[in-house]
Amino acid sequence: LARGIQHTAVRQAHRKYEPNFHDKYGNLVLLGGATVFTAIWGYVLTQAGIEWGLSPVGRITPKEWRE
């Protein structure tokens, strides 16, 4: 078994290396995905009208003190 695997590895090493899809378009796909991701989240964060309650000022009211 080991000899067969070794033989296959040697045969593949001698074969001319041809670029696959990831070699050709990998960075392009990654860049495109990052662009779409950024565009969508940029829209969501700025235009969607979501109320982001980040500041507690004016929201937290002290309770009346009970003695």
Side-chain angles (χ1 to χ4, degrees):
L1 181 69
R3 178 167 286 183
I5 293 171
Q6 205 173 22
H7 192 73
T8 306
V10 167
R11 210 176 351 168
Q12 286 179 350
H14 282 297
R15 196 181 63 181
K16 189 171 71 91
Y17 181 75
E18 43 202 52
N20 62 12
F21 179 84
H22 296 288
D23 293 328
K24 286 183 180 176
Y25 307 110
N27 288 336
L28 199 68
V29 170
L30 190 70
L31 233 107
T35 305
V36 170
F37 178 87
T38 306
I40 289 174
W41 275 107
Y43 173 81
V44 168
L45 293 175
T46 57
Q47 303 297 316
I50 299 170
E51 186 68 41
W52 303 100
L54 296 179
S55 171
V57 176
R59 293 174 189 256
I60 299 173
T61 54
K63 281 192 210 166
E64 291 297 319
W65 182 258
R66 285 185 303 224
E67 299 218 11

